[in-house]
Amino acid sequence: MDDLHIRITGHAGRITFARPKALNALSHPMALAMHQALLDWKDDPRVALVIIDAEGDRAFCAGGDIAAVYHAGRAGDHQLGRTFFRDEYRLNAAIADYPKPIVAFMQGFVMGGGVGVGGHASHRIVGDTTRIAMPESGIGLIPDVGGTWLLSRAPGRIGEYLALTGARMEAGDAIHAGFADIYLPEAQWPELIARLEETGDTALIRGKRPPEAPLAGRDLSAFGGRHLSDIIEALEKAREDEILATLRRNSPLSMAAGLVMVRAARGDTRMQQALSREYRFTARATAESDFLEGVRAQIIDKDRQPAWQAEPSAERVQALLAPLEEDELLWEDAQ
């Protein structure tokens, strides 16, 4: 596959994103190929660990390649999106539960689908160019790919803040928020990768002292509000104009749902529970949310002027998160 290089080098299974001009966006065929490689290597004695990295300086993976989902949804085909999200989430779960170490080297943009790949690895390495975010509320979706699970485990109200704003984290914040583990200057990555290939030994992974984490010192108490309207009111009182400007650009329905989902995920005991909840929303997204309009404005036409229509009521959120009955994302056969 031209977009993805899969091979065994030394003691390492190697997966490299190879479409840097598209910021290594994750397509449906790429997700399927990655999952199959992990399945093939699970019991392969030649593979001691898996390394996931990416070509290019700009991005590890800037998100899912959702143009096909958009065009199908516009044409009335909502199954294509459901299939894409289902298979992507199964990849995310396979990474999180993998019995061998997975080492992710995440440079540049790591957003949405990129977080779903790198953010669930056992060893998550970031550098000076890393910018991690879950910006789905800006395209009318919700933090998915297990994002609500990660956000729910961030300290304090950082999870709510990141879910609603889609703010980008540099290396220090990413480690503080639980989206990464190790800071290492990117110039040192090739040498470490070569040694991991040679030895298959993750004990060789030693990071440097991470940069400061500005999020650690921010007052995000406003994001403890029970409802989205309470959070906005608290931010208005605190005169947080920059944050308010961001929230006013994002989908109200997506923010309301994301808030509920991050908090619900705090009660989950495994990431699959969060993924199943996320799938309830995304399976309905092309037909019943602002998703198509958000993708049109941000990715297709790029006019950055979405006309949000969906009502962000509690009843609407509850309907989008209701069980899918026979279409529910189950895990008995997911691996």
Side-chain angles (χ1 to χ4, degrees), residues 7 12-18 23-24 34 49-62 95 101-111 114-115 117-132 171 174 179-208:
R7 71 275 189 204
R14 298 280 276 109
I15 300 175
T16 301
F17 288 107
L23 300 181
N24 292 315
M34 293 181 74
L49 53 79
V50 176
I51 297 170
I52 304 178
D53 64 352
E55 294 180 359
D57 298 328
R58 297 180 61 199
F60 169 75
C61 172
I95 292 170
I102 296 181
V103 188
F105 290 83
M106 299 183 285
Q107 82 278 10
F109 293 123
V110 187
M111 298 182 178
V115 173
V117 173
H120 303 305
S122 60
H123 297 72
R124 303 169 297 177
I125 299 173
V126 291
D128 293 310
T129 69
T130 305
R131 303 291 184 270
I132 297 181
F179 280 70
D181 308 299
I182 297 152
Y183 164 74
L184 188 68
E186 286 150 49
Q188 299 180 34
W189 291 8
E191 179 183 357
L192 176 56
I193 290 173
R195 295 182 71 195
L196 291 172
E197 291 174 337
E198 180 182 355
T199 67
D201 184 5
T202 57
L204 297 172
I205 301 174
R206 297 188 181 93
K208 304 295 184 181

Side-chain angles (χ1 to χ4, degrees), residues 73-311:
R74 284 292 189 205
D77 175 7
H78 304 295
Q79 186 57 46
L80 189 146
R82 295 186 191 111
T83 302
F84 171 71
F85 290 123
R86 180 184 292 269
D87 290 337
E88 184 181 21
Y89 297 175
R90 287 179 166 172
L91 168 65
N92 305 144
I95 292 170
D97 288 349
Y98 206 60
K100 298 178 181 181
I102 296 181
V103 188
F105 290 83
M106 299 183 285
Q107 82 278 10
F109 293 123
V110 187
M111 298 182 178
V115 173
V117 173
H120 303 305
S122 60
H123 297 72
R124 303 169 297 177
I125 299 173
V126 291
D128 293 310
T129 69
T130 305
R131 303 291 184 270
I132 297 181
M134 296 300 295
E136 288 79 6
S137 59
I139 59 167
L141 204 62
I142 44 86
D144 65 335
V145 297
T148 59
W149 169 265
L150 292 172
L151 291 165
S152 74
R153 276 138 183 83
R157 297 298 178 181
I158 289 175
E160 286 95 334
Y161 165 75
L162 294 173
L164 269 59
T165 65
R168 298 174 183 178
M169 297 177 281
E170 298 184 6
D173 277 336
I175 292 172
H176 176 72
F179 280 70
D181 308 299
I182 297 152
Y183 164 74
L184 188 68
E186 286 150 49
Q188 299 180 34
W189 291 8
E191 179 183 357
L192 176 56
I193 290 173
R195 295 182 71 195
L196 291 172
E197 291 174 337
E198 180 182 355
T199 67
D201 184 5
T202 57
L204 297 172
I205 301 174
R206 297 188 181 93
K208 304 295 184 181
R209 181 177 179 178
E212 294 294 321
L215 277 178
R218 291 196 66 172
D219 178 10
L220 298 176
S221 58
F223 287 86
R226 183 176 180 182
H227 302 294
L228 177 61
S229 58
D230 299 323
I231 292 172
I232 291 174
E233 182 179 353
L235 290 169
E236 289 172 341
K237 288 181 179 178
R239 297 184 178 179
E240 292 280 5
D241 294 337
E242 186 175 347
I243 295 177
L244 286 165
T246 299
L247 298 189
R248 287 167 182 149
R249 287 194 299 269
N250 292 342
S251 162
L253 174 62
S254 294
M255 291 189 291
L259 183 65
V260 168
M261 295 170 75
V262 168
R263 291 173 176 175
R266 291 198 173 112
D268 293 340
T269 56
R270 34 193 318 249
M271 188 183 73
Q272 283 86 340
Q273 293 169 278
L275 284 168
S276 293
R277 187 182 300 109
E278 292 165 6
Y279 184 69
R280 291 174 179 176
F281 188 103
T282 58
R284 297 175 167 113
T286 58
E288 301 179 37
S289 77
D290 277 325
F291 177 55
L292 292 181
E293 172 60 12
V295 174
R296 180 208 63 77
Q298 304 296 345
I299 297 173
I300 305 300
D301 296 340
K302 298 182 180 180
D303 59 26
R304 317 298 186 200
Q305 298 293 326
W308 306 124
Q309 300 292 330
E311 170 61 41

